[in-house]
Amino acid sequence: MSSSLRFDRGHTDDLMAFLMASPSPYHAVATAAERLEKAGFRQVEETAAWDGTSGGKYVLRGGAIVAWYVPEGATAHTPYRIVGAHTDSPNLRVKPLPDTGAHGWRQVAVEIYGGTLLNTWLDRDLGLAGRISLRDGTHRLVNIDRPLLRVPQLAVHLDRSANPDGLKLDRQKHMQPIWGLGDVEEGDLIRFVAEEAGVDAEDVTGWDLMPHAVEPPAYLGRDRELLAGPRMDNLLSVHAATAALAAVAGLPDAELPYIPVMAAFDHEENGSQSDTGADGPLLGTVLERSVFARGGAYEDRARAFAGTVCLSSDTGHAIHPNYAERHDPTHHPVVNGGPILKVNVNMRYATDGSGRAVFAEACRKADVPWQTFVSNNSMPCGTTIGPITAARHGIQTVDIGVAILSMHSARELCGADDPYLLANAVAAFLAG
Protein backbone atom coordinates (compact mmCIF):
# COMPACT_ATOMS: atom_id res chain seq x y z
CA MET A 1 0.00 0.00 0.00
CA SER A 2 1.38 3.41 -0.96
CA SER A 3 2.72 5.45 1.94
CA SER A 4 0.66 8.38 0.68
CA LEU A 5 -2.48 6.44 1.63
CA ARG A 6 -1.33 5.52 5.13
CA PHE A 7 -3.46 6.89 7.98
CA ASP A 8 -2.30 6.93 11.62
CA ARG A 9 -3.57 8.09 15.03
CA GLY A 10 -3.84 11.61 13.62
CA HIS A 11 -6.82 10.33 11.64
CA THR A 12 -8.64 9.65 14.92
CA ASP A 13 -7.86 13.17 16.13
CA ASP A 14 -9.33 14.47 12.88
CA LEU A 15 -12.42 12.29 13.33
CA MET A 16 -13.10 14.09 16.60
CA ALA A 17 -13.06 17.43 14.79
CA PHE A 18 -15.32 15.99 12.06
CA LEU A 19 -17.87 14.84 14.64
CA MET A 20 -17.96 18.25 16.29
CA ALA A 21 -18.42 20.00 12.94
CA SER A 22 -21.26 17.65 11.94
CA PRO A 23 -24.17 17.82 14.41
CA SER A 24 -26.69 17.03 11.64
CA PRO A 25 -26.65 15.17 8.30
CA TYR A 26 -26.65 18.54 6.50
CA HIS A 27 -23.55 19.64 8.36
CA ALA A 28 -21.89 16.26 7.75
CA VAL A 29 -22.18 16.53 3.96
CA ALA A 30 -21.09 20.18 4.03
CA THR A 31 -18.02 19.21 6.07
CA ALA A 32 -17.21 16.32 3.73
CA ALA A 33 -17.65 18.58 0.68
CA GLU A 34 -15.34 21.20 2.14
CA ARG A 35 -12.63 18.59 2.63
CA LEU A 36 -13.07 17.23 -0.88
CA GLU A 37 -12.86 20.76 -2.31
CA LYS A 38 -9.45 21.10 -0.67
CA ALA A 39 -8.44 17.87 -2.42
CA GLY A 40 -9.40 19.33 -5.81
CA PHE A 41 -12.97 18.06 -6.18
CA ARG A 42 -15.66 20.35 -7.58
CA GLN A 43 -19.42 20.31 -7.13
CA VAL A 44 -21.63 19.52 -10.10
CA GLU A 45 -25.29 20.48 -10.11
CA GLU A 46 -27.87 17.82 -10.85
CA THR A 47 -29.81 20.26 -13.01
CA ALA A 48 -26.79 21.06 -15.20
CA ALA A 49 -25.38 19.11 -18.14
CA TRP A 50 -22.38 16.96 -17.14
CA ASP A 51 -19.19 16.58 -19.13
CA GLY A 52 -16.87 13.61 -19.34
CA THR A 53 -13.73 15.32 -18.05
CA SER A 54 -11.47 13.58 -15.59
CA GLY A 55 -10.98 14.65 -11.98
CA GLY A 56 -12.93 14.73 -8.74
CA LYS A 57 -16.61 15.68 -8.67
CA TYR A 58 -19.43 15.52 -6.16
CA VAL A 59 -23.18 15.99 -5.90
CA LEU A 60 -24.97 17.31 -2.81
CA ARG A 61 -28.63 16.65 -2.14
CA GLY A 62 -29.98 17.44 1.33
CA GLY A 63 -28.18 15.23 3.83
CA ALA A 64 -26.54 13.05 1.14
CA ILE A 65 -23.36 13.34 -0.89
CA VAL A 66 -22.00 11.24 -3.76
CA ALA A 67 -18.40 11.97 -4.80
CA TRP A 68 -16.24 10.27 -7.43
CA TYR A 69 -12.86 10.61 -9.11
CA VAL A 70 -12.47 9.88 -12.83
CA PRO A 71 -8.82 9.11 -13.66
CA GLU A 72 -7.30 10.04 -17.00
CA GLY A 73 -7.82 7.19 -19.44
CA ALA A 74 -11.01 5.88 -17.82
CA THR A 75 -13.36 4.40 -20.40
CA ALA A 76 -17.14 4.59 -20.46
CA HIS A 77 -17.28 1.03 -19.07
CA THR A 78 -14.62 1.39 -16.36
CA PRO A 79 -16.06 -0.21 -13.19
CA TYR A 80 -16.54 1.65 -9.92
CA ARG A 81 -15.22 0.97 -6.43
CA ILE A 82 -17.79 2.40 -4.01
CA VAL A 83 -17.74 3.00 -0.27
CA GLY A 84 -21.25 3.55 1.07
CA ALA A 85 -22.19 5.00 4.45
CA HIS A 86 -24.93 7.09 6.05
CA THR A 87 -24.99 10.55 7.56
CA ASP A 88 -27.96 10.26 9.94
CA SER A 89 -27.99 9.03 13.53
CA PRO A 90 -30.87 8.15 15.89
CA ASN A 91 -31.88 11.28 17.77
CA LEU A 92 -34.70 13.73 18.50
CA ARG A 93 -36.20 15.91 15.75
CA VAL A 94 -38.12 19.18 16.18
CA LYS A 95 -41.80 18.97 15.22
CA PRO A 96 -43.58 21.33 12.79
CA LEU A 97 -45.29 23.10 15.72
CA PRO A 98 -42.37 23.17 18.15
CA ASP A 99 -43.55 25.51 20.91
CA THR A 100 -45.01 23.66 23.89
CA GLY A 101 -44.73 23.52 27.66
CA ALA A 102 -46.62 23.30 30.94
CA HIS A 103 -46.56 24.57 34.52
CA GLY A 104 -44.29 27.50 33.77
CA TRP A 105 -41.77 25.50 31.73
CA ARG A 106 -41.14 26.32 28.06
CA GLN A 107 -40.43 23.17 26.07
CA VAL A 108 -39.71 22.07 22.50
CA ALA A 109 -41.93 19.45 20.89
CA VAL A 110 -39.79 16.68 19.40
CA GLU A 111 -40.35 13.44 17.50
CA ILE A 112 -38.20 10.33 18.00
CA TYR A 113 -36.02 9.60 14.96
CA GLY A 114 -34.78 6.05 14.43
CA GLY A 115 -34.05 3.49 17.12
CA THR A 116 -32.43 5.80 19.63
CA LEU A 117 -31.68 4.71 23.20
CA LEU A 118 -34.03 7.17 24.87
CA ASN A 119 -32.42 7.14 28.32
CA THR A 120 -29.10 8.34 26.89
CA TRP A 121 -30.71 11.70 26.03
CA LEU A 122 -31.74 12.38 29.61
CA ASP A 123 -29.97 15.05 31.67
CA ARG A 124 -27.58 16.04 28.88
CA ASP A 125 -26.72 19.55 27.78
CA LEU A 126 -28.12 19.80 24.26
CA GLY A 127 -27.59 22.26 21.44
CA LEU A 128 -29.74 22.60 18.34
CA ALA A 129 -28.63 22.13 14.74
CA GLY A 130 -29.88 21.43 11.23
CA ARG A 131 -31.12 23.61 8.43
CA ILE A 132 -33.81 26.20 7.84
CA SER A 133 -35.53 26.73 4.50
CA LEU A 134 -36.08 30.29 3.32
CA ARG A 135 -38.78 31.92 1.25
CA ASP A 136 -36.45 32.30 -1.75
CA GLY A 137 -35.90 28.53 -1.92
CA THR A 138 -32.43 28.51 -0.35
CA HIS A 139 -31.32 26.77 2.83
CA ARG A 140 -29.23 27.97 5.73
CA LEU A 141 -27.28 25.70 8.08
CA VAL A 142 -27.80 26.35 11.78
CA ASN A 143 -25.61 25.15 14.65
CA ILE A 144 -26.38 26.47 18.13
CA ASP A 145 -23.53 24.60 19.76
CA ARG A 146 -24.04 25.55 23.40
CA PRO A 147 -26.23 24.25 26.24
CA LEU A 148 -29.77 25.21 25.22
CA LEU A 149 -32.04 22.22 25.87
CA ARG A 150 -32.34 19.46 28.45
CA VAL A 151 -34.60 16.41 28.85
CA PRO A 152 -34.89 16.19 32.65
CA GLN A 153 -35.22 12.80 34.28
CA LEU A 154 -37.70 12.22 37.06
CA ALA A 155 -36.05 12.11 40.50
CA VAL A 156 -35.74 8.64 42.00
CA HIS A 157 -37.76 9.83 45.00
CA LEU A 158 -40.76 10.14 42.64
CA ASP A 159 -40.14 6.83 40.88
CA ARG A 160 -38.87 4.28 43.39
CA SER A 161 -39.26 1.49 40.81
CA ALA A 162 -36.74 3.00 38.37
CA ASN A 163 -33.70 1.19 39.77
CA PRO A 164 -35.06 -2.29 40.61
CA ASP A 165 -37.47 -2.57 37.67
CA GLY A 166 -35.80 -0.45 35.03
CA LEU A 167 -36.57 3.00 33.72
CA LYS A 168 -39.73 3.18 31.61
CA LEU A 169 -40.01 6.16 29.26
CA ASP A 170 -43.06 7.22 27.30
CA ARG A 171 -41.84 8.45 23.91
CA GLN A 172 -44.50 11.17 23.77
CA LYS A 173 -44.73 12.40 27.36
CA HIS A 174 -41.22 12.04 28.75
CA MET A 175 -38.87 13.14 25.95
CA GLN A 176 -39.85 16.80 25.40
CA PRO A 177 -36.84 18.98 26.35
CA ILE A 178 -37.10 22.17 28.37
CA TRP A 179 -35.43 25.36 27.18
CA GLY A 180 -36.67 28.06 29.49
CA LEU A 181 -39.30 29.48 31.81
CA GLY A 182 -42.47 31.39 31.11
CA ASP A 183 -45.57 31.20 28.99
CA VAL A 184 -45.57 29.26 25.72
CA GLU A 185 -45.44 31.59 22.71
CA GLU A 186 -46.23 30.33 19.22
CA GLY A 187 -43.29 30.90 16.85
CA ASP A 188 -40.85 31.58 19.69
CA LEU A 189 -38.36 28.82 18.88
CA ILE A 190 -38.13 29.61 15.18
CA ARG A 191 -37.75 33.33 15.90
CA PHE A 192 -34.83 32.43 18.17
CA VAL A 193 -33.27 30.11 15.58
CA ALA A 194 -33.68 32.71 12.83
CA GLU A 195 -31.93 35.31 14.97
CA GLU A 196 -29.07 32.90 15.62
CA ALA A 197 -28.81 32.27 11.88
CA GLY A 198 -28.89 35.97 11.04
CA VAL A 199 -32.08 35.87 8.98
CA ASP A 200 -35.54 37.40 9.31
CA ALA A 201 -37.98 35.02 11.00
CA GLU A 202 -40.66 35.91 8.43
CA ASP A 203 -38.41 34.47 5.72
CA VAL A 204 -38.20 31.05 7.40
CA THR A 205 -40.74 28.76 5.75
CA GLY A 206 -39.45 25.34 6.86
CA TRP A 207 -36.96 23.64 9.12
CA ASP A 208 -35.18 20.35 9.78
CA LEU A 209 -33.77 20.79 13.27
CA MET A 210 -32.48 18.37 15.85
CA PRO A 211 -30.95 18.55 19.34
CA HIS A 212 -27.37 17.34 19.77
CA ALA A 213 -25.16 16.71 22.79
CA VAL A 214 -22.63 19.52 23.09
CA GLU A 215 -20.06 17.49 25.08
CA PRO A 216 -17.07 17.03 22.75
CA PRO A 217 -15.56 13.64 21.83
CA ALA A 218 -12.81 12.47 24.16
CA TYR A 219 -10.17 9.79 24.52
CA LEU A 220 -10.99 7.47 27.39
CA GLY A 221 -9.16 4.87 29.45
CA ARG A 222 -5.90 4.56 31.32
CA ASP A 223 -3.89 4.58 28.10
CA ARG A 224 -6.37 6.63 26.07
CA GLU A 225 -7.06 3.57 23.94
CA LEU A 226 -10.79 4.25 23.64
CA LEU A 227 -12.79 7.03 21.99
CA ALA A 228 -16.17 8.28 23.25
CA GLY A 229 -18.27 10.58 21.13
CA PRO A 230 -21.59 11.27 19.41
CA ARG A 231 -22.85 10.09 16.03
CA MET A 232 -20.08 7.57 15.39
CA ASP A 233 -22.89 5.48 13.90
CA ASN A 234 -22.23 6.37 11.18
CA LEU A 235 -20.10 9.50 10.77
CA LEU A 236 -17.07 7.39 11.62
CA SER A 237 -17.53 5.70 8.23
CA VAL A 238 -18.39 8.94 6.41
CA HIS A 239 -15.16 10.46 7.72
CA ALA A 240 -13.10 7.41 6.74
CA ALA A 241 -14.61 7.35 3.24
CA THR A 242 -14.01 11.08 2.73
CA ALA A 243 -10.38 10.83 3.82
CA ALA A 244 -9.77 7.69 1.76
CA LEU A 245 -11.32 9.12 -1.42
CA ALA A 246 -9.32 12.34 -1.12
CA ALA A 247 -6.11 10.34 -0.62
CA VAL A 248 -6.77 7.96 -3.54
CA ALA A 249 -7.52 10.93 -5.81
CA GLY A 250 -3.97 12.06 -5.13
CA LEU A 251 -2.44 8.92 -6.63
CA PRO A 252 -1.14 8.86 -10.22
CA ASP A 253 -4.10 8.18 -12.50
CA ALA A 254 -2.29 5.28 -14.11
CA GLU A 255 -2.44 3.43 -10.76
CA LEU A 256 -6.26 3.55 -10.58
CA PRO A 257 -7.96 0.67 -12.44
CA TYR A 258 -11.38 1.69 -11.10
CA ILE A 259 -13.35 4.90 -10.55
CA PRO A 260 -13.41 5.41 -6.76
CA VAL A 261 -16.71 6.62 -5.29
CA MET A 262 -18.02 7.71 -1.90
CA ALA A 263 -21.78 7.61 -1.32
CA ALA A 264 -23.07 8.89 2.04
CA PHE A 265 -26.87 8.67 2.34
CA ASP A 266 -29.45 10.08 4.73
CA HIS A 267 -32.36 8.24 6.41
CA GLU A 268 -30.67 4.87 6.92
CA GLU A 269 -31.94 4.77 10.49
CA ASN A 270 -35.58 4.71 9.35
CA GLY A 271 -35.40 2.51 6.26
CA SER A 272 -33.56 4.52 3.57
CA GLN A 273 -36.74 5.25 1.62
CA SER A 274 -36.33 8.85 0.55
CA ASP A 275 -34.80 10.81 -2.31
CA THR A 276 -31.59 11.05 -0.27
CA GLY A 277 -31.69 7.50 1.10
CA ALA A 278 -29.94 4.43 -0.24
CA ASP A 279 -33.26 3.05 -1.47
CA GLY A 280 -33.73 6.11 -3.67
CA PRO A 281 -32.31 6.64 -7.16
CA LEU A 282 -29.48 9.03 -6.25
CA LEU A 283 -26.48 6.69 -6.50
CA GLY A 284 -27.67 4.91 -9.64
CA THR A 285 -28.45 8.19 -11.35
CA VAL A 286 -25.02 9.62 -10.58
CA LEU A 287 -23.18 6.50 -11.78
CA GLU A 288 -25.24 6.29 -14.97
CA ARG A 289 -24.81 9.97 -15.78
CA SER A 290 -21.07 9.59 -15.30
CA VAL A 291 -21.04 6.71 -17.80
CA PHE A 292 -23.09 8.67 -20.34
CA ALA A 293 -21.04 11.84 -19.84
CA ARG A 294 -17.98 9.84 -20.88
CA GLY A 295 -19.70 8.91 -24.13
CA GLY A 296 -21.10 5.58 -23.00
CA ALA A 297 -24.36 3.85 -23.82
CA TYR A 298 -26.51 1.35 -21.93
CA GLU A 299 -24.10 -1.48 -22.78
CA ASP A 300 -21.25 0.47 -21.14
CA ARG A 301 -23.41 1.10 -18.09
CA ALA A 302 -24.17 -2.61 -17.80
CA ARG A 303 -20.49 -3.54 -18.15
CA ALA A 304 -19.41 -0.95 -15.59
CA PHE A 305 -22.01 -2.06 -13.02
CA ALA A 306 -21.14 -5.74 -13.55
CA GLY A 307 -17.53 -5.06 -12.54
CA THR A 308 -18.39 -2.74 -9.64
CA VAL A 309 -18.00 -3.58 -5.94
CA CYS A 310 -19.39 -1.61 -3.01
CA LEU A 311 -18.22 -1.66 0.60
CA SER A 312 -21.17 -0.77 2.82
CA SER A 313 -19.42 0.64 5.88
CA ASP A 314 -21.39 0.95 9.11
CA THR A 315 -20.75 0.32 12.78
CA GLY A 316 -21.27 -3.11 14.34
CA HIS A 317 -21.38 -4.62 17.80
CA ALA A 318 -18.20 -5.20 19.80
CA ILE A 319 -18.37 -7.95 22.43
CA HIS A 320 -19.94 -6.40 25.54
CA PRO A 321 -18.25 -7.53 28.78
CA ASN A 322 -21.49 -7.26 30.78
CA TYR A 323 -23.73 -8.97 28.21
CA ALA A 324 -21.52 -11.56 26.50
CA GLU A 325 -24.45 -14.00 26.29
CA ARG A 326 -26.17 -11.67 23.79
CA HIS A 327 -23.41 -12.29 21.24
CA ASP A 328 -22.65 -15.30 19.05
CA PRO A 329 -20.48 -17.62 21.15
CA THR A 330 -17.81 -18.03 18.44
CA HIS A 331 -17.72 -14.49 17.01
CA HIS A 332 -16.46 -11.87 19.47
CA PRO A 333 -15.28 -8.70 17.71
CA VAL A 334 -13.10 -6.60 19.98
CA VAL A 335 -12.32 -2.90 19.84
CA ASN A 336 -8.94 -2.01 18.31
CA GLY A 337 -9.01 -5.38 16.56
CA GLY A 338 -9.48 -3.84 13.14
CA PRO A 339 -12.57 -3.47 10.94
CA ILE A 340 -15.26 -6.13 10.97
CA LEU A 341 -16.77 -8.12 8.12
CA LYS A 342 -20.53 -8.34 8.77
CA VAL A 343 -22.21 -11.59 7.72
CA ASN A 344 -25.83 -12.75 7.76
CA VAL A 345 -26.96 -15.59 5.51
CA ASN A 346 -30.49 -14.16 5.39
CA MET A 347 -29.05 -11.11 3.63
CA ARG A 348 -29.61 -8.59 6.39
CA TYR A 349 -25.99 -7.93 5.43
CA ALA A 350 -24.98 -8.28 1.78
CA THR A 351 -21.68 -10.13 2.34
CA ASP A 352 -21.04 -13.49 0.66
CA GLY A 353 -17.88 -15.55 0.19
CA SER A 354 -16.84 -13.62 -2.90
CA GLY A 355 -17.24 -10.32 -1.06
CA ARG A 356 -15.24 -11.67 1.86
CA ALA A 357 -12.36 -12.31 -0.53
CA VAL A 358 -12.48 -8.72 -1.82
CA PHE A 359 -12.40 -7.29 1.71
CA ALA A 360 -9.67 -9.67 2.86
CA GLU A 361 -7.47 -8.61 -0.05
CA ALA A 362 -7.97 -4.91 0.74
CA CYS A 363 -6.99 -5.52 4.36
CA ARG A 364 -3.94 -7.52 3.23
CA LYS A 365 -2.79 -4.69 0.98
CA ALA A 366 -3.32 -2.20 3.80
CA ASP A 367 -1.63 -4.48 6.37
CA VAL A 368 -4.74 -4.13 8.56
CA PRO A 369 -6.16 -6.87 10.85
CA TRP A 370 -9.83 -7.67 10.48
CA GLN A 371 -12.58 -9.59 12.27
CA THR A 372 -15.96 -11.18 11.54
CA PHE A 373 -19.31 -10.31 13.07
CA VAL A 374 -22.29 -12.68 13.08
CA SER A 375 -25.41 -12.20 15.20
CA ASN A 376 -26.53 -14.63 17.86
CA ASN A 377 -29.16 -16.87 16.22
CA SER A 378 -31.59 -16.02 19.01
CA MET A 379 -31.33 -12.28 18.32
CA PRO A 380 -32.86 -10.47 15.34
CA CYS A 381 -30.15 -9.05 13.10
CA GLY A 382 -30.05 -5.39 12.14
CA THR A 383 -29.44 -4.30 8.58
CA THR A 384 -27.66 -1.61 6.57
CA ILE A 385 -27.62 0.08 3.19
CA GLY A 386 -25.71 -2.96 1.90
CA PRO A 387 -28.59 -5.24 0.85
CA ILE A 388 -30.49 -2.21 -0.50
CA THR A 389 -27.55 -1.18 -2.67
CA ALA A 390 -27.01 -4.73 -3.93
CA ALA A 391 -30.66 -5.28 -4.82
CA ARG A 392 -31.41 -1.84 -6.26
CA HIS A 393 -28.35 -1.53 -8.50
CA GLY A 394 -27.26 -5.13 -9.07
CA ILE A 395 -23.86 -4.29 -7.58
CA GLN A 396 -21.78 -6.74 -5.58
CA THR A 397 -21.80 -5.39 -2.03
CA VAL A 398 -19.86 -6.26 1.12
CA ASP A 399 -20.89 -5.13 4.60
CA ILE A 400 -18.08 -3.97 6.88
CA GLY A 401 -17.52 -1.46 9.67
CA VAL A 402 -16.03 -0.79 13.08
CA ALA A 403 -17.02 -2.59 16.28
CA ILE A 404 -18.43 -0.26 18.94
CA LEU A 405 -20.30 -0.28 22.23
CA SER A 406 -23.40 1.79 23.10
CA MET A 407 -24.69 1.80 19.52
CA HIS A 408 -27.58 4.26 19.06
CA SER A 409 -26.70 6.04 22.27
CA ALA A 410 -26.30 9.81 22.32
CA ARG A 411 -22.63 9.00 23.05
CA GLU A 412 -20.99 5.88 21.64
CA LEU A 413 -17.66 4.13 22.30
CA CYS A 414 -15.06 2.64 19.95
CA GLY A 415 -11.38 1.75 20.02
CA ALA A 416 -9.11 4.71 19.28
CA ASP A 417 -7.15 2.71 16.68
CA ASP A 418 -10.10 1.37 14.70
CA PRO A 419 -11.02 4.58 12.81
CA TYR A 420 -7.63 4.76 11.08
CA LEU A 421 -7.49 1.00 10.54
CA LEU A 422 -10.84 1.26 8.74
CA ALA A 423 -9.66 4.23 6.67
CA ASN A 424 -6.55 2.32 5.59
CA ALA A 425 -8.63 -0.67 4.49
CA VAL A 426 -11.08 1.58 2.62
CA ALA A 427 -8.27 3.42 0.84
CA ALA A 428 -6.69 0.14 -0.27
CA PHE A 429 -10.08 -1.04 -1.57
CA LEU A 430 -10.73 2.19 -3.51
CA ALA A 431 -7.24 2.14 -5.01
CA GLY A 432 -7.88 -1.36 -6.33
Side-chain angles (χ1 to χ4, degrees):
M1 181 173 172
S2 170
S3 60
S4 63
L5 296 182
R6 184 68 61 184
F7 299 102
D8 56 21
R9 190 65 171 268
H11 176 88
T12 304
D13 295 336
D14 190 62
L15 168 62
M16 297 166 74
F18 188 90
L19 293 173
M20 286 297 291
S22 307
S24 77
Y26 314 107
H27 288 84
V29 299
T31 305
E34 180 181 3
R35 290 168 176 236
L36 290 172
E37 288 274 355
K38 291 179 180 178
F41 285 68
R42 61 179 178 87
Q43 184 177 0
V44 293
E45 298 292 341
E46 291 186 82
T47 54
W50 292 7
D51 60 47
T53 57
S54 60
K57 305 171 186 180
Y58 68 91
V59 164
L60 291 181
R61 183 192 291 184
I65 180 172
V66 180
W68 65 104
Y69 180 82
V70 180
E72 288 279 359
T75 66
H77 59 265
T78 297
Y80 299 96
R81 280 289 177 100
I82 306 168
V83 176
H86 66 89
T87 61
D88 60 319
S89 301
N91 61 5
L92 312 177
R93 302 287 177 103
V94 175
K95 288 184 175 180
L97 300 176
D99 299 294
T100 187
H103 305 289
W105 294 99
R106 292 158 66 195
Q107 294 175 272
V108 176
V110 297
E111 192 173 1
I112 310 302
Y113 178 82
T116 186
L117 285 170
L118 297 179
N119 65 293
T120 68
W121 288 87
L122 303 179
D123 298 333
R124 286 188 185 274
D125 296 336
L126 304 174
L128 192 65
R131 69 176 182 178
I132 53 177
S133 302
L134 305 181
R135 194 178 305 279
D136 62 4
T138 63
H139 304 284
R140 184 73 60 89
L141 293 183
V142 178
N143 183 10
I144 306 171
D145 195 30
R146 65 177 187 272
L148 179 69
L149 309 168
R150 181 183 176 94
V151 184
Q153 187 170 186
L154 184 65
V156 70
H157 312 79
L158 304 178
D159 185 9
R160 296 291 183 179
S161 66
N163 284 333
D165 299 332
L167 181 65
K168 295 180 176 61
L169 294 170
D170 185 287
R171 293 163 65 91
Q172 177 63 36
K173 294 192 298 184
H174 299 155
M175 296 306 298
Q176 310 306 311
I178 60 173
W179 76 300
L181 300 173
D183 296 332
V184 177
E185 297 181 27
E186 185 178 350
D188 198 22
L189 179 72
I190 299 306
R191 282 193 294 270
F192 170 77
V193 170
E195 182 179 355
E196 290 285 321
V199 301
D200 194 325
E202 282 69 33
D203 288 335
V204 179
T205 55
W207 51 87
D208 301 281
L209 298 170
M210 57 206 74
H212 66 277
V214 298
E215 182 183 4
Y219 288 110
L220 185 147
R222 184 192 66 180
D223 299 318
R224 294 164 54 90
E225 69 268 49
L226 301 171
L227 177 66
R231 300 177 294 280
M232 287 195 280
D233 178 11
N234 186 30
L235 294 188
L236 189 158
S237 294
V238 175
H239 175 256
T242 303
L245 179 61
V248 168
L251 294 175
D253 284 4
E255 296 182 14
L256 297 178
Y258 304 99
I259 297 173
V261 180
M262 175 189 74
F265 302 101
D266 201 352
H267 302 130
E268 189 273 348
E269 297 294 355
N270 61 9
S272 295
Q273 292 186 323
S274 71
D275 69 318
T276 53
D279 203 19
L282 179 59
L283 176 61
T285 299
V286 168
L287 299 183
E288 288 177 349
R289 290 186 68 177
S290 178
V291 168
F292 300 150
R294 283 177 277 123
Y298 183 81
E299 181 71 9
D300 299 291
R301 180 261 190 214
R303 294 174 66 187
F305 277 40
T308 293
V309 184
C310 174
L311 289 188
S312 164
S313 182
D314 204 343
T315 55
H317 303 292
I319 181 72
H320 197 302
N322 299 338
Y323 301 92
E325 73 281 0
R326 304 294 182 98
H327 298 263
D328 183 83
T330 58
H331 295 80
H332 288 172
V334 297
V335 299
N336 288 334
I340 56 174
L341 180 74
K342 302 162 76 171
V343 178
N344 179 265
V345 295
N346 294 302
M347 288 291 106
R348 300 292 285 171
Y349 304 130
T351 307
D352 62 10
S354 177
R356 174 190 171 104
V358 172
F359 179 64
E361 177 61 12
C363 290
R364 185 196 67 78
K365 288 182 178 178
D367 193 25
V368 165
W370 60 280
Q371 312 172 78
T372 305
F373 171 81
V374 178
S375 288
N376 186 311
N377 285 330
S378 299
M379 300 284 173
C381 181
T383 190
T384 68
I385 66 167
I388 295 171
T389 303
R392 182 170 183 83
H393 306 294
I395 290 172
Q396 181 183 19
T397 304
V398 189
D399 271 294
I400 67 162
V402 161
I404 70 170
L405 293 181
S406 305
M407 187 184 294
H408 287 196
S409 169
R411 193 168 178 85
E412 296 161 322
L413 183 72
C414 74
D417 297 340
D418 283 329
Y420 69 81
L421 293 175
L422 173 67
N424 282 324
V426 168
F429 165 77
L430 289 177

